[in-house]
Amino acid sequence: MKLRNPILIRMVAAALALVIWCWMRTTRLRIGSLDGRPHPADPASEQYFYAFWHEGLLAPLKTRIKVKILISQHADGEIIAQVCHWLGFGTVRGSTTRGGCEAIQSLVRESHSKTHLGITPDGPKGPRRKLQMGIIFVASLTGLPIVLAGIGFTRAWRLKSWDRFAIPRPRSEEHTSELQSHSFISYA
């Protein structure tokens, strides 16, 4: 069943945001890098374009980094956009299947406002962990360095969705490895 009523969507999103915020407060976050540095991309010093797989969407909620996240224009995307709003994240709407050109233009505009950008490079429908070229294209237009974030949980439930969405169990740890890339992309 798809929610279509804007008031109902806002109410459901507010409730989901509260549940997610409380749930994520039970987890611990550890950030490291592949080259051993404690945090390769200091968000206070420079603007970045963060990329993380679709299955790890909950992990950025644990950070204090404020980003504008690319979210699809589908009906489910509206709920996710409203949840992001309640959790203090900005959104840019569009995807490879709907509103892509407008999304690219919005991301380029947002890059001029000194806002961090975030994207799931495997897109709104997958395939899982397969990089779509949109992130490369937008990074080339904006000149922002890409920070690839690999997210793992010590204990998590996995949904039977295309992305095997991860829901961390209470008291589990999130492990985030970051690799800053100015000129290359690493495929996982």
Side-chain angles (χ1 to χ4, degrees):
M1 180 178 119
K2 300 253 185 209
L3 291 176
R4 301 283 185 212
N5 184 318
I7 295 170
L8 189 56
I9 288 173
R10 278 190 289 256
M11 289 173 29
V12 167
L16 276 172
L18 179 63
V19 168
I20 290 169
W21 184 81
C22 291
W23 190 272
M24 293 306 288
R25 302 265 305 161
T26 69
T27 65
R28 292 188 317 227
L29 174 67
R30 288 195 328 189
I31 297 176
S33 68
L34 295 177
D35 60 3
R37 292 184 292 164
H39 193 292
D42 180 11
S45 67
E46 190 176 348
Q47 183 183 9
Y48 293 103
F49 196 179
Y50 291 96
F52 46 91
W53 296 128
H54 204 271
E55 67 195 63
L57 275 175
L58 293 178
L61 303 176
K62 192 71 177 170
T63 68
R64 292 193 169 35
I65 301 170
K66 296 299 178 191
V67 300
K68 292 258 178 154
I69 302 171
L70 180 65
I71 297 178
S72 74
Q73 291 181 347
H74 298 293
D76 296 341
E78 181 59 29
I79 294 172
I80 296 168
Q82 291 289 326
V83 168
C84 287
H85 169 75
W86 283 103
L87 294 170
F89 292 94
T91 60
V92 171
R93 302 298 302 276
S95 67
T96 53
T97 56
R98 187 183 298 170
C101 291
E102 295 85 3
I104 289 170
Q105 291 170 345
S106 295
L107 288 169
V108 170
R109 272 193 305 276
E110 291 298 333
S111 72
H112 293 69
S113 68
K114 304 298 181 204
T115 302
H116 297 292
L117 303 176
I119 191 171
T120 56
D122 47 357
K125 294 183 177 180
R128 180 180 185 227
R129 294 184 180 176
K130 183 168 176 16
L131 183 88
Q132 304 295 323
M133 296 311 293
I135 187 170
I136 307 298
F137 183 63
V138 173
S140 70
L141 291 174
T142 62
L144 293 178
I146 298 171
V147 176
L148 304 170
I151 298 164
F153 301 99
T154 55
R155 297 177 309 140
W157 293 292
R158 294 279 180 171
L159 299 183
K160 293 182 180 177
S161 57
W162 69 265
D163 60 353
R164 304 275 297 134
F165 191 81
I167 301 172
R169 294 182 187 207
R171 296 184 308 278
S172 68
E173 285 189 18
E174 298 172 44
H175 298 276
T176 303
S177 296
E178 295 180 351
L179 174 65
Q180 185 174 349
S181 169
H182 291 276
S183 59
F184 67 93
I185 293 293
S186 171
Y187 293 91

